[in-house]
Amino acid sequence: MLLALAAALALAPLPLPRSTAIAPGVQPLTVAVAAAPALPDLLAAQPRWPHVAAPQPRALPEKQATELQAALQRARAAFGVYGAQVAVSWDASQSWTGADGVMRDGRTPLSAEQPLVIGSVTKTFTAALILQLAEEGRLSLNDPVARYLPKVPRLTKGITVRELLGHTSGLADFYNPLHDALIAQPHKVWTPDEVLRRIGPMWFKPGADWGYSNTNYVVLGLLAEAVTGVPVEAELARRFFLPLGLDRTHLVSTDGGKLVDTSWTTSFWTAGAITSTASDLVRWGDALYGGSVLKPATLRAMLTFNDDDYGLGARRLPFGKHVGVGHTGLLATYTAIVVHFPADGVTVALLVNRSKVDLPAMLSARLNSQPSLLDLALKDGG
């Protein structure tokens, strides 16, 4: 098992040229097209925080549910995935969730209720927490982070909160320096301080370029704790998990051993160590990108994308004529994506228990002349 894990985790070194750099949590979008249309206005009036408990979404008619389940089975088999979960939400009022395959033990059927590791989809929660704190006036996105974290190692004084959120800080990613130690010491509990002491030299001066770095979101976790005075997992639960009924969503630390080793959950922490289900993630996507979590101006800032299609903890995800927003994730032997299509009122989440799977392609693949998962979700037909 450990040898298989080590083989699965052989990722490309960073930094690489911007066109090829793939960090844990950022997957290549092979089906994206450059000519995709611009995002529509996402900022129509929506209920704002705190949430009022909404009725359960209506179930899908049996025929449509059967078609989606068959598409999931085709995609899972074609992409060599052990187990997969998919959930789809239409206008936050109708939903479908399916699962196919097995857990990584090769025997236990994977259920739709089984939490899986979501990797860098975690960053959407961390970013939303920081942006809410900014809305409350407890910090400013233009503040230097060192003002709140004066003793954090390797933190250049000029780095701002906004630069951490948007990966323009220049902080080097910690993955490569830690990779061998994470595998060699699977039960080690890493503190953020230990992680930050391992990172290499700055990639570039703060604000001078863009480079995806998990280090940014570990620092944001420390920032959240410094500002709120409480553990970040408690703040995420209070603000998001509990009000939205995300009952299977948790930030794990030393208790993630059944899915992934402690060395991975503790080192990636607020950059990638949340576990969740596809159904919880579509509810989160509906709330976050639908305007219920952040104020309109804040959501607009989150979804203002640079030339690398990255905003503040969000990515622009084009699928042909359909343009979505969301995030991808990769940690250890798990890959994830959540994408919200504002023009269609559709949110889709796909979680698999295999590393480095091209999930956009898996969603879009038309196999045996049959419609893809995305065709059925977006009602495009075959």
Side-chain angles (χ1 to χ4, degrees):
M1 179 67 176
L2 185 57
L3 290 176
L5 176 62
L9 291 167
L11 301 181
L14 289 175
L16 293 174
R18 186 180 288 182
S19 60
T20 58
I22 302 296
V26 176
Q27 295 299 295
L29 301 178
T30 58
V31 300
V33 294
L39 285 169
D41 185 7
L42 303 180
L43 305 175
Q46 294 284 348
R48 175 56 169 81
W49 211 260
H51 294 285
V52 176
Q56 286 293 323
R58 293 178 289 114
L60 207 60
E62 183 177 354
K63 179 178 182 296
Q64 291 174 270
T66 300
E67 291 174 340
L68 279 161
Q69 184 66 35
L72 172 58
Q73 291 170 344
R74 291 192 297 269
R76 185 197 63 76
F79 282 77
V81 171
Y82 305 109
Q85 290 179 357
V86 174
V88 186
S89 168
W90 293 269
D91 297 317
S93 63
Q94 190 172 47
S95 68
W96 173 83
T97 301
D100 188 60
V102 295
M103 297 285 287
R104 288 194 60 84
D105 63 10
R107 300 182 303 275
T108 307
L110 176 65
S111 73
E113 292 75 35
Q114 169 63 51
L116 298 176
V117 179
I118 68 171
S120 282
V121 178
T122 298
K123 292 179 174 68
T124 65
F125 291 93
T126 303
L129 170 56
I130 295 298
L131 290 169
Q132 278 199 355
L133 292 172
E135 289 179 346
E136 295 162 7
R138 301 171 74 176
L139 57 81
S140 167
L141 298 189
N142 297 321
D143 284 344
V145 182
R147 176 183 301 174
Y148 304 93
L149 301 171
K151 297 182 179 180
V152 170
R154 313 299 295 274
L155 186 57
T156 300
K157 291 185 178 180
I159 295 172
T160 67
V161 178
R162 187 186 302 274
E163 288 165 347
L164 292 176
L165 287 166
H167 296 293
T168 59
S169 72
L171 286 171
D173 192 83
F174 64 78
Y175 173 72
N176 279 345
L178 259 67
H179 175 269
D180 292 347
L182 296 179
I183 294 175
Q185 299 174 280
H187 304 298
K188 176 177 170 57
V189 175
W190 287 84
T191 67
D193 183 85
E194 289 175 315
V195 169
L196 295 173
R197 290 186 186 279
R198 291 289 192 105
I199 65 174
M202 294 283 292
W203 283 349
F204 49 82
K205 292 182 180 180
D209 204 343
W210 184 84
Y212 187 94
S213 173
N214 291 286
T215 306
N216 292 316
Y217 276 72
V218 170
V219 176
L220 286 171
L222 292 172
L223 175 62
E225 292 193 335
V227 171
T228 63
V230 299
V232 69
E233 55 266 35
E235 198 67 12
L236 289 170
R238 183 182 75 83
R239 289 174 181 264
F240 306 136
F241 305 160
L242 295 175
L244 280 171
L246 307 182
D247 298 331
R248 297 180 180 89
T249 303
H250 305 281
L251 178 66
V252 297
S253 53
T254 59
D255 59 347
K258 292 183 179 180
L259 295 175
V260 64
D261 289 329
T262 297
S263 60
W264 292 91
T265 58
T266 56
S267 60
F268 277 86
W269 192 40
T270 46
I274 282 179
T275 59
S276 188
T277 61
S279 57
D280 270 14
L281 286 184
V282 293
R283 182 176 293 189
W284 170 242
D286 284 339
L288 178 60
Y289 305 119
S292 296
V293 175
L294 301 172
K295 294 177 180 178
T298 309
L299 182 59
R300 183 179 293 111
M302 172 181 254
L303 301 181
T304 298
F305 300 106
N306 62 13
D307 291 341
D308 296 277
D309 282 341
Y310 205 89
L312 302 179
R315 298 188 70 195
R316 180 178 180 271
L317 301 171
F319 291 79
K321 67 181 180 180
H322 299 276
V323 183
V325 296
H327 215 289
T328 54
L330 165 63
L331 186 69
T333 52
Y334 297 87
T335 315
I337 186 173
V338 58
V339 55
H340 173 71
F341 297 94
D344 304 278
V346 172
T347 304
V348 180
L350 171 60
L351 309 180
V352 303
N353 56 7
R354 182 178 173 185
S355 65
K356 296 187 285 186
V357 179
D358 188 341
L359 296 189
M362 188 172 169
L363 284 173
S364 303
R366 293 170 179 164
L367 304 164
N368 301 325
S369 301
Q370 297 295 312
S372 69
L373 282 163
L374 210 56
D375 287 332
L376 296 170
L378 297 170
K379 302 180 180 178
D380 279 348

